[in-house]
Amino acid sequence: RREEMAKSTQLIDNEVFRAYATYTAIVLLKMMLMSLITAYFRITRKAFVNPEDTATFGKGESAKKFLRTDPDVERVRRGHLNDLENIVPFVGIGLLYALSSPELSTALLHFRIFVGARIFHTFAYLIPLPQPGRGLSWAVGYSVTFSMAYRVLKTAWLL
Amino acid sequence: RREEMAKSTQLIDNEVFRAYATYTAIVLLKMMLMSLITAYFRITRKAFVNPEDTATFGKGESAKKFLRTDPDVERVRRGHLNDLENIVPFVGIGLLYALSSPELSTALLHFRIFVGARIFHTFAYLIPLPQPGRGLSWAVGYSVTFSMAYRVLKTAWLL
Amino acid sequence: RREEMAKSTQLIDNEVFRAYATYTAIVLLKMMLMSLITAYFRITRKAFVNPEDTATFGKGESAKKFLRTDPDVERVRRGHLNDLENIVPFVGIGLLYALSSPELSTALLHFRIFVGARIFHTFAYLIPLPQPGRGLSWAVGYSVTFSMAYRVLKTAWLL
């Protein structure tokens, strides 16, 4: 059993996999941060969606007025959903890519550009920056994932 | 090739990885259950969103009245989206965590608390329980994922 | 270090894992395509959600009329969210399944049916096809993921 344990840790000893683990953890933590920002805006803007969430503001009609949508809350939520739509493919395809033995420098380039683009995308969405700032940062992250998928399919292709 | 096959199955022989596999499968099945609950409420409340889904209720105006939102359906959908936002980071970071050779007992503690918190979260959302029940269960799951991410970054850090 | 690198690439040499990598990359690329289709409909239907996205159409009231929802855009977005809800469990459970040493032919059957069902689901949603076309394709993908989860839990069970 000891030997098994030792072998199963090899993946984390591999440098490309360690880089993947580092950037994936960072970008998933960034995505998780969106929940906190949503909660912050819901509380400061007093804009909730569940009746039970407004109970501290009193009962009946007085609390009901806090069941509303707020543009800032909706903006963060759109950013969060965009993260899900783009970070999920990165995490899945990135894992397969990291296991396809790419050069460490090439892999780092992919991971760094993706994570940088997604952090920029969040700022562009929340500030908001004028277009095409947000659109371009989205396209950069999208292209990186596409590039990794190309290598995965080239390496692993078994249909 | 035989030997390759044998080697690739080592991961599932590792106890921490087996625990990860068990709890990940359970919490993903729980998330999938939300689709069935949504479908159940859509059908019993007769609240649909696609015109083609109401065709069995007749044509024209008679079917159109079933194209509406229903509070119960929307509640399940919010629970489902919250699952996506929180279970995706758990699955991604948890995999890296399981490969970072944590103690089995520590890993089990993380996985059990997370999955327990998310199951409680679903009940708190659907019943619904008064706050801060749902909020706390969300925070517990969030903290577990954060704790695993901390270990992943400490172990794998390669920027 | 050389030896470590060599060992970490074994996973991609395993045939079941290669099949998993191929089908996962394909179905994640298919999901990513939904972003492009949404963008296409937003631009051709002139239906945007962020004020900064309509700046090219002029300022003030003239641009404001493009901040609206469009049935085609909303339809693609629902298809995209349904992909997230179903492809995320496939990617997570499928990875664990691929590591549980299934027969290659059985694994290929699971992966092919799932990916085929999700591609059909997208066409059924976007055309749209009359029900139960979309519903059945959803159920087929759901059942495949469920079947893989069953094997994962049978093989890895450690609670």
Side-chain angles (χ1 to χ4, degrees):
Chain A
R1 190 152 294 281
R2 229 161 211 285
E3 205 190 0
E4 276 165 17
M5 295 283 280
K7 272 183 187 162
S8 70
T9 59
Q10 288 167 357
L11 221 43
I12 210 85
D13 294 331
N14 173 266
E15 283 187 324
V16 171
F17 192 80
R18 280 174 53 206
Y20 168 74
T22 305
Y23 284 98
T24 291
I26 289 171
V27 84
L28 284 175
L29 287 172
K30 189 225 78 60
M31 187 171 88
M32 287 169 67
L33 187 61
M34 304 307 274
S35 298
L36 291 184
I37 303 177
T38 302
Y40 170 78
F41 278 117
R42 282 207 184 282
I43 291 165
T44 55
R45 266 62 168 169
K46 290 198 173 62
F48 299 91
V49 66
N50 296 299
E52 67 269 26
D53 299 353
T54 63
T56 50
F57 302 115
K59 296 198 174 187
E61 291 308 310
S62 62
K64 227 174 185 174
K65 66 170 182 274
F66 302 122
L67 294 178
R68 57 188 190 84
T69 59
D70 173 89
D72 291 326
V73 171
E74 296 309 306
R75 183 174 279 278
V76 186
R77 292 182 66 224
R78 288 195 298 275
H80 200 166
L81 187 58
N82 195 281
D83 269 356
L84 267 173
E85 292 169 358
N86 290 278
I87 291 175
V88 162
F90 171 81
V91 172
I93 291 172
L95 173 67
L96 305 171
Y97 172 79
L99 296 173
S100 76
S101 310
E103 287 288 323
L104 176 62
S105 57
T106 316
L108 278 171
L109 197 68
H110 280 79
F111 301 155
R112 284 172 183 159
I113 294 175
F114 181 86
V115 173
R118 293 309 303 181
I119 291 172
F120 184 89
H121 184 272
T122 301
F123 281 103
Y125 220 142
L126 298 190
I127 293 177
L129 295 180
Q131 287 282 28
R134 195 184 87 236
L136 282 181
S137 63
W138 170 83
V140 168
Y142 196 89
S143 308
V144 168
T145 307
F146 203 87
S147 164
M148 296 194 304
Y150 174 76
R151 183 184 163 89
V152 168
L153 289 175
K154 217 180 57 174
T155 312
W157 191 262
L158 191 158
L159 212 60
Chain B
R1 188 154 295 279
R2 230 161 209 283
E3 205 189 1
E4 276 165 18
M5 295 283 282
K7 272 184 188 161
S8 71
T9 59
Q10 288 166 356
L11 221 43
I12 210 85
D13 294 330
N14 174 267
E15 284 188 322
V16 171
F17 192 80
R18 281 174 53 206
Y20 168 74
T22 305
Y23 284 98
T24 291
I26 289 171
V27 83
L28 285 174
L29 287 172
K30 190 224 78 59
M31 186 172 91
M32 288 169 67
L33 187 61
M34 303 307 275
S35 299
L36 291 184
I37 302 178
T38 301
Y40 170 79
F41 278 116
R42 282 207 184 282
I43 292 165
T44 55
R45 265 63 168 170
K46 289 197 173 62
F48 299 91
V49 66
N50 296 299
E52 67 267 27
D53 300 352
T54 62
T56 50
F57 302 114
K59 295 198 174 189
E61 292 308 310
S62 62
K64 228 174 184 174
K65 66 169 182 273
F66 301 122
L67 294 177
R68 57 186 190 86
T69 59
D70 173 88
D72 291 326
V73 171
E74 295 309 307
R75 183 174 280 278
V76 186
R77 291 183 66 225
R78 289 196 298 276
H80 201 165
L81 186 58
N82 194 282
D83 269 356
L84 268 173
E85 292 170 358
N86 290 278
I87 291 174
V88 163
F90 171 81
V91 172
I93 291 172
L95 173 68
L96 305 171
Y97 171 78
L99 296 174
S100 75
S101 310
E103 287 287 324
L104 176 62
S105 57
T106 317
L108 279 171
L109 197 69
H110 280 80
F111 301 155
R112 284 171 183 161
I113 294 176
F114 181 86
V115 174
R118 292 310 302 181
I119 291 172
F120 184 89
H121 184 273
T122 301
F123 281 103
Y125 220 144
L126 297 190
I127 293 177
L129 296 181
Q131 286 284 29
R134 195 185 87 236
L136 282 181
S137 64
W138 170 84
V140 167
Y142 196 88
S143 308
V144 168
T145 307
F146 204 86
S147 163
M148 297 194 304
Y150 175 76
R151 185 186 162 87
V152 168
L153 289 174
K154 218 179 57 174
T155 312
W157 191 262
L158 192 158
L159 214 58
Chain C
R1 190 152 293 282
R2 230 162 209 285
E3 205 190 0
E4 276 165 18
M5 294 284 281
K7 273 183 187 162
S8 71
T9 59
Q10 289 166 355
L11 220 44
I12 211 84
D13 294 332
N14 173 268
E15 283 186 323
V16 172
F17 192 80
R18 281 175 53 205
Y20 168 74
T22 305
Y23 284 98
T24 291
I26 289 171
V27 84
L28 285 175
L29 287 172
K30 190 226 77 62
M31 186 171 90
M32 288 169 67
L33 186 61
M34 303 306 274
S35 299
L36 292 184
I37 303 176
T38 302
Y40 169 79
F41 278 117
R42 282 207 184 282
I43 291 165
T44 54
R45 265 62 168 171
K46 291 199 173 61
F48 299 90
V49 66
N50 296 299
E52 68 267 27
D53 299 352
T54 62
T56 50
F57 301 115
K59 296 199 173 188
E61 292 308 311
S62 63
K64 227 174 185 173
K65 66 169 181 274
F66 302 122
L67 293 178
R68 58 188 190 84
T69 59
D70 174 88
D72 291 327
V73 171
E74 297 308 306
R75 182 174 280 280
V76 186
R77 292 183 66 224
R78 288 196 298 276
H80 200 166
L81 186 58
N82 194 282
D83 269 357
L84 267 173
E85 292 169 358
N86 289 279
I87 292 174
V88 163
F90 171 81
V91 172
I93 290 171
L95 174 66
L96 305 171
Y97 172 79
L99 296 173
S100 75
S101 310
E103 287 289 323
L104 176 61
S105 57
T106 317
L108 279 172
L109 196 69
H110 279 80
F111 301 156
R112 284 172 182 159
I113 294 176
F114 181 87
V115 174
R118 291 311 303 181
I119 291 173
F120 183 89
H121 184 273
T122 301
F123 280 103
Y125 220 144
L126 298 189
I127 292 177
L129 296 181
Q131 287 281 29
R134 196 185 85 236
L136 282 181
S137 63
W138 170 84
V140 168
Y142 196 88
S143 307
V144 168
T145 307
F146 203 86
S147 164
M148 296 195 305
Y150 175 75
R151 185 186 161 87
V152 168
L153 289 175
K154 217 180 57 174
T155 312
W157 191 262
L158 191 158
L159 214 59

